[in-house]
Amino acid sequence: MSDADSLSVAKDPEIGLAVKDELADVLMYLVRLSSVLGIDLNEAVTLKLASNGQKYPVDKAKSSSKKHFKEATGKTVGRSEIRSWQGSLTYMAKVLRDEGLPSDAGLAIELHIPQSSKRIDFLLTGRDENQAKKAVLIELKQWSKASATTKDAIVKTALGGGLVETIHPSYQVWSYAALLEGFNEAVYDKSIEIRPCAYLHNYVSDGIIDSAHYEPHISKAPLFLKGPEELTKLRSFLKKHIAHGDNKEVLYELSDGKIRPSKALAEALEGLMTGKPDACGSKRSLGPGTKGSGAFIDTEPNTFDALIVDEAHRLNEKSGLYGNLGENQIKELVESAKCSIFFIDEDQRVTLSDIGSKQAIRAFAKAKGAVVEEYVLSSQFRCSGSDGYMAWLDDVLGIRSTANPTLNISEYEFKVFDSPQSLHNAIDEKNHGNKARVVAGYCWPWLSKKDSKATDIVIGNDYARQWNLDQDGSLWIIAENSIEQVGCIHTCQGLEVDYIGVIIGPDLVVRDGQVVTSPHERDKNDKSIRGWKKLMKEQPALAQQDTDLIIKNTYRTLMTRGMKGCYLYCTDQETAQYFESRLARPSNG
């Protein structure tokens, strides 16, 4: 009910009198209770006002909950959302006024789901009658009307001043539950059961929002509407799953859970790959499994229903050991399947032979008459999901200007070391469970490939290490004892560790605040820029542009291999000072 509605009700003679009676009852009970307990109400109010003054200082509370929300989340919130909180939370307070619900249940409002822009409106945690851990997700809506569509899980309702298509509340909250089940390790490791539901407290059942068309989603996340019967049903649902309180135990386990693809998700994908029955007993399979991108030279058109191409930016024009087979890998992949799905990050193009680009994929798809749909993966799990770190890397390496000129090292651990040995020692100390490695730009010859006793990366008088072992190949970064060697871009792309140590060689230096790349500082056998000298003679501007991007992308990729932190050593002192100057140290105050 809005403020205006409340005022109009109070002015109604009959209703106004009833309100006065209720307020009088509350006041009499309050005075009687204080008398029985021996509490001085004047003193209690004075103490409470003083306590609130300390808890909520005027300078912080002055602009209402809007300021508190920004301080807590770093995000702004509009007036319409604040009105939604005021309306919906009042109804939730009424829902919780039930003696059957434990008073020590965990409760969270607007709980942010890490690595996403999603927030759970209302969350209750506790245990059921069998002491199983439960978390109930409640999606709150102030809707009072909606129109059905023929689309799956899509309705039309008034939002932002117009009638727009949006997802059904039951599907929305179920997707949040699926996100937690798939990517919060605590759900799997701590055996937390997630139960989603939606509460539309202003919506009277009309056979539209609760129609059979949306039943598949409502069955996964029950929908509760306006009215006393619906309120009772919602309370029953909550009491079924939250029979006992948990003193926030489950809530903290969820909020502290590691965010990464969970074992449950991995097992589900494994089941799809191998054709194992799922939880419903259905046996589904993705078919023939995995192949290299060069394995489709002679494949008949539309042989596969779907092809998923990961690291599509690494596709080459030709296939085969000598790069002399086929016509074009992108063209062959598009032709081989009815639906080809390309996962691409053009910022990870690290060799001149990489031809995978959105433009090239569009062109080949258009030539085959295919419909192209493009999506952006807005969240990522690399580097603890720190979008700020990724944006800072783009800025600090001179790839593109961003709004992150400095890095807050409290969000992602980043250190600059003054010697390569101190960096290697620090990474060695972090190598718990084979989860830390050192990598470098390819600026030193691979002498140990032919002479196993030779050293490769020699810096000063105290640091001498070998490149990654030849027998480990692309699995070097996860091979046992490979902490003793130094890896390169070809042995760690697509894989992550907890901590990565990166040695920036003379191919990337900083002069007067500008990042300068030098392809001639790369080792002559480096295949990633093979042919650059010829290209420099024929098209110098293109050669400079491409090699500059390859070198910067190489270090960007190397510096994003660490999930928890990146340690850095630069062979050039001015470059080291540049990176150090771009770190924002947390204040001691």
Side-chain angles (χ1 to χ4, degrees), residues 496-516:
E496 280 89 23
V497 289
D498 284 347
Y499 286 88
I500 196 74
V502 180
I503 297 174
I504 293 185
D507 58 339
L508 187 146
V509 297
V510 175
R511 295 293 178 262
D512 298 324
Q514 298 298 313
V515 178
V516 180

Side-chain angles (χ1 to χ4, degrees), residues 204-265:
V204 177
S205 177
D206 59 0
I208 295 176
I209 197 72
D210 50 352
S211 70
H213 178 62
Y214 301 113
E215 178 55 31
H217 309 295
I218 297 173
S219 65
K220 295 176 183 177
L223 180 68
F224 301 101
L225 303 174
K226 182 178 181 179
E229 289 185 9
E230 293 290 304
L231 176 61
T232 300
K233 289 179 183 177
L234 174 55
R235 284 174 171 165
S236 297
F237 178 82
L238 295 178
K239 287 185 283 188
K240 175 183 177 182
H241 298 294
I242 311 292
H244 305 285
D246 63 341
N247 288 312
K248 303 177 185 175
E249 176 195 1
V250 177
L251 178 61
Y252 285 132
E253 286 177 347
L254 270 180
S255 61
D256 296 337
K258 291 182 179 179
I259 303 302
R260 60 182 62 175
S262 72
K263 294 176 184 177
L265 181 63

Side-chain angles (χ1 to χ4, degrees), residues 148-300:
T149 73
T150 57
K151 299 177 182 178
D152 182 40
I154 300 296
V155 297
K156 279 187 177 181
T157 192
L159 291 173
L163 197 63
V164 298
E165 288 188 349
T166 188
I167 56 178
H168 191 282
S170 289
Y171 178 85
Q172 183 178 350
V173 70
W174 170 82
S175 71
Y176 296 166
L179 199 56
L180 289 175
E181 290 169 342
F183 294 96
N184 189 312
E185 283 196 338
V187 174
Y188 185 90
D189 294 339
K190 306 284 187 181
S191 300
I192 301 172
E193 297 180 35
I194 307 294
R195 293 291 179 264
C197 69
Y199 184 30
L200 279 61
H201 47 77
N202 291 331
Y203 201 117
V204 177
S205 177
D206 59 0
I208 295 176
I209 197 72
D210 50 352
S211 70
H213 178 62
Y214 301 113
E215 178 55 31
H217 309 295
I218 297 173
S219 65
K220 295 176 183 177
L223 180 68
F224 301 101
L225 303 174
K226 182 178 181 179
E229 289 185 9
E230 293 290 304
L231 176 61
T232 300
K233 289 179 183 177
L234 174 55
R235 284 174 171 165
S236 297
F237 178 82
L238 295 178
K239 287 185 283 188
K240 175 183 177 182
H241 298 294
I242 311 292
H244 305 285
D246 63 341
N247 288 312
K248 303 177 185 175
E249 176 195 1
V250 177
L251 178 61
Y252 285 132
E253 286 177 347
L254 270 180
S255 61
D256 296 337
K258 291 182 179 179
I259 303 302
R260 60 182 62 175
S262 72
K263 294 176 184 177
L265 181 63
E267 290 174 358
L269 290 173
E270 181 188 11
L272 282 174
M273 295 296 292
T274 58
K276 293 179 181 178
D278 60 20
C280 299
S282 300
K283 190 172 181 179
R284 292 176 289 182
S285 174
L286 287 179
T290 60
K291 292 185 178 182
S293 57
F296 300 88
I297 299 169
D298 301 317
T299 302
E300 291 293 321

Side-chain angles (χ1 to χ4, degrees), residues 292-297 299 307 309-319 325-337 339-344 346 349 353-368 370 372:
S293 57
F296 300 88
I297 299 169
T299 302
L307 276 179
V309 186
D310 195 16
E311 304 276 347
H313 43 273
R314 298 301 315 276
L315 293 172
N316 297 159
E317 184 175 9
K318 302 285 187 178
S319 301
L325 300 177
E327 182 181 349
N328 185 291
Q329 288 185 350
I330 300 175
K331 180 174 183 287
E332 290 152 7
L333 288 165
V334 170
E335 290 180 342
S336 296
C339 176
S340 299
I341 302 168
F342 295 88
F343 286 93
I344 186 167
E346 292 176 326
R349 182 196 173 205
S353 61
D354 292 346
I355 65 164
S357 69
K358 289 180 281 188
Q359 182 180 356
I361 294 170
R362 291 188 199 107
F364 281 111
K366 184 178 180 181
K368 295 299 295 182
V372 178

Side-chain angles (χ1 to χ4, degrees), residues 474-485:
S474 61
L475 296 178
W476 168 85
I477 197 171
I478 57 174
E480 200 72 33
N481 299 320
S482 62
I483 183 66
E484 300 299 327
Q485 296 90 41

